[in-house]
Amino acid sequence: MKRVLFFEPNPHHYEVLPGYAKYFIELNYHIDILTNEHINDGNEFCIANFDENKICYYNYNSGEGFIKVKELLDKYIYDFIFISSFDHFVKNERVSVYEEVKKIDNTKYGIIGCYHSMNNLKYNQEIELLEEKRIITLSETTYNGIRFYNISPIYFKSRQLYKYKIGICRFLSVGNSNNVNELIFSFDSVLRKNENAELSFIGGIKKKGFFKSQLKRKIFHPVLSLINFSQYSSSIYKPICRATRKKIRLLERVSFENMYDEIMSTDFIVINIDIRRFGDEFHTTRTTGSKNLVLGFEKPCIIEKRLAKFYGFSEANSIIYEDGFLEEALEKAIKMNSSDYEKLSKGMYKMQCDLYEKSISELEDMIKNVQNLRK
């Protein structure tokens, strides 16, 4: 029996597991999945349709991941260890998961895995991963001229084509990488012209922080607006009107069950990465989890042009805007009719199907390449 051990060393990134598991199952592997205990986060497989005999799930307590890996390696014979996140930090220090697992690896063909950002690669310690092409990336990425296998974990559930909800237009922002201020102020401007919309945040901003920022704006904006100084009269200090606040939902951290429900009931997922915090990282070497959610749930996204190009989105499946014109993109989404929305959803489904087939093909090629190294 072909068998692979999935290991997630972080207390997050669980959302990629259903997609990667789906591809290995398609290639007739049995999968053991080892993750940090995360009962409060719910079950990332809750809407996936899998043969339960194909997957066994194991948990470890914080700090004991590598110990549990060794226990499973001693117990079963594996073809591979699959690291679902090579990116791993302990007390803000980058730790090479590859180096740690390599010390105890006794599998037939060794270690393969995914980098969510190639900026986190520890080149000197992980040169073998590069030379032997054992690295997966979530978007088409190159590093020092090396092209990596692009395998996108976009499976969460069986297909369901969503119709545009006649009435209120629902926007959703997921995670902590978006430019929250830009999105809120753009939404506020649009809502002053068209109240037929709602904006929800999963992560990104907490209720307490939102309240404090509003209080500061109410206090400082009237004073700063009198100063002829663009830095202080910018919209970042403008208070949000009460009507807008009522249309913003701050969900903070939610379970996978609740997150999937929110995604299924939304119309557009907004991806507006905060380049002041991350620079060009998300445009060149890093993939936001929102990309996989958009594709997995066939949800049209609203995304900045340069980012759309890196992730492969087009006007056939998304609303694409130039930097600084998010407000116009939101307004276009609100005014979009049901027929045009369905075209975008079908376009996203086509991209999903293409990436699904490509991902399986890439995984097959990667496995063959790594197996040949051990012959």
Side-chain angles (χ1 to χ4, degrees):
M1 177 177 67
K2 296 191 296 185
R3 193 171 194 139
V4 60
L5 172 60
F6 279 28
F7 175 46
E8 174 51 63
N10 300 294
H12 47 77
H13 286 323
Y14 308 122
E15 75 282 352
V16 304
L17 297 175
Y20 284 133
K22 179 71 171 178
Y23 300 144
F24 275 95
I25 287 174
E26 290 278 355
L27 300 180
N28 297 314
Y29 280 84
H30 175 89
I31 303 166
D32 291 338
I33 299 177
L34 176 61
T35 70
N36 210 316
E37 183 70 63
H38 57 284
I39 295 174
N40 292 336
D41 292 323
N43 176 14
E44 60 271 21
F45 286 86
C46 62
I47 56 175
N49 183 21
F50 284 121
D51 180 351
E52 293 183 0
N53 295 320
K54 288 284 189 178
I55 297 179
C56 289
Y57 214 107
Y58 300 90
N59 293 127
Y60 62 87
N61 295 320
S62 181
E64 298 178 355
F66 298 113
I67 295 172
K68 190 67 176 181
V69 168
K70 188 175 188 311
E71 289 179 6
L72 290 170
L73 290 175
D74 291 341
K75 186 175 181 180
Y76 300 108
I77 298 174
Y78 292 103
D79 290 72
F80 298 97
I81 300 177
F82 177 78
I83 311 297
S84 52
S85 302
F86 276 129
D87 322 64
H88 183 53
F89 293 83
V90 177
K91 296 180 179 179
N92 295 322
E93 288 289 327
R94 169 78 171 85
V95 174
S96 174
V97 179
Y98 174 68
E99 281 289 292
E100 294 299 318
V101 174
K102 183 182 175 183
K103 297 173 185 175
I104 54 177
D105 174 36
N106 62 2
T107 60
K108 294 178 184 177
Y109 305 112
I111 303 164
I112 57 177
C114 172
Y115 260 112
H116 295 245
S117 173
M118 287 308 300
N119 281 11
N120 293 326
L121 176 73
K122 291 183 78 71
Y123 184 84
N124 292 332
Q125 294 98 319
E126 298 174 349
I127 187 66
E128 288 174 315
L129 287 174
L130 287 170
E131 292 179 341
E132 297 183 359
K133 296 186 176 181
R134 292 175 177 269
I135 295 174
I136 290 167
T137 55
L138 300 170
S139 298
E140 283 286 351
T141 309
T142 58
Y143 182 89
N144 289 346
I146 300 172
R147 184 215 173 243
F148 301 101
Y149 292 102
N150 174 210
I151 303 174
S152 302
I154 55 176
Y155 175 82
F156 297 92
K157 58 170 188 55
S158 299
R159 192 203 176 196
Q160 178 182 348
L161 184 62
Y162 299 99
K163 303 291 183 181
Y164 184 64
K165 295 176 176 60
I166 303 300
I168 191 167
C169 180
R170 292 180 170 85
F171 300 110
L172 178 65
S173 171
V174 183
N176 300 313
S177 303
N178 280 348
N179 187 331
V180 173
N181 276 330
E182 180 191 35
L183 180 50
I184 288 178
F185 290 124
S186 298
F187 180 70
D188 181 48
S189 296
V190 170
L191 216 63
R192 292 171 190 267
K193 295 175 280 186
N194 190 327
E195 297 181 358
N196 204 25
E198 178 183 275
L199 172 62
S200 300
F201 287 89
I202 294 176
I205 183 171
K206 294 184 178 181
K207 295 174 184 177
K208 187 176 180 180
F210 183 69
F211 173 78
K212 284 184 176 180
S213 65
Q214 282 296 298
L215 186 61
K216 288 179 181 178
R217 291 182 185 114
K218 284 184 178 181
I219 294 171
F220 292 114
H221 184 71
V223 177
L224 296 174
S225 61
L226 297 174
I227 303 173
N228 186 22
F229 190 37
S230 61
Q231 179 184 354
Y232 294 107
S233 59
S234 66
S235 63
I236 196 169
Y237 290 97
K238 181 181 177 182
I240 305 302
C241 70
R242 182 177 297 179
T244 298
R245 293 200 300 272
K246 291 181 178 179
K247 293 294 186 76
I248 294 177
R249 301 166 64 232
L250 305 178
L251 304 176
E252 300 188 11
R253 186 166 183 166
V254 300
S255 67
F256 281 103
E257 290 86 347
N258 289 339
M259 182 176 75
Y260 294 158
D261 285 343
E262 286 293 330
I263 293 171
M264 286 189 279
S265 64
T266 201
D267 298 308
F268 294 92
I269 294 178
V270 181
I271 305 177
N272 70 315
I273 299 299
D274 190 343
I275 59 173
R276 292 173 303 175
R277 290 169 56 203
F278 300 105
D280 285 339
E281 185 177 0
F282 278 95
H283 298 77
T284 55
T285 62
R286 182 174 177 180
T287 301
T288 172
S290 293
K291 174 193 174 182
N292 300 323
L293 295 173
V294 160
L295 284 158
F297 288 85
E298 301 138 38
K299 289 292 180 178
C301 67
I302 297 174
I303 186 169
E304 184 267 328
K305 186 176 181 180
R306 240 172 14 115
L307 198 61
K309 183 178 180 181
F310 178 52
Y311 291 162
F313 294 120
S314 71
E315 292 182 349
N317 51 45
S318 305
I319 295 178
I320 298 173
Y321 66 92
E322 297 279 356
D323 186 29
F325 290 88
L326 177 57
E327 180 182 330
E328 288 78 1
L330 297 177
E331 193 165 2
K332 180 178 180 179
I334 293 173
K335 293 179 178 178
M336 183 172 288
N337 61 43
S338 182
S339 175
D340 287 341
Y341 180 84
E342 193 169 335
K343 288 178 183 177
L344 290 184
S345 186
K346 287 180 178 178
M348 193 63 75
Y349 176 63
K350 182 181 185 304
M351 183 176 174
Q352 178 201 93
C353 292
D354 291 344
L355 274 180
Y356 185 90
E357 294 300 322
K358 177 186 175 184
S359 294
I360 292 178
S361 176
E362 291 269 283
L363 181 58
E364 278 188 300
D365 287 347
M366 183 183 202
I367 288 173
K368 289 176 183 177
N369 172 67
V370 173
Q371 286 175 333
N372 286 334
L373 296 172
R374 294 290 176 96
K375 287 184 178 179

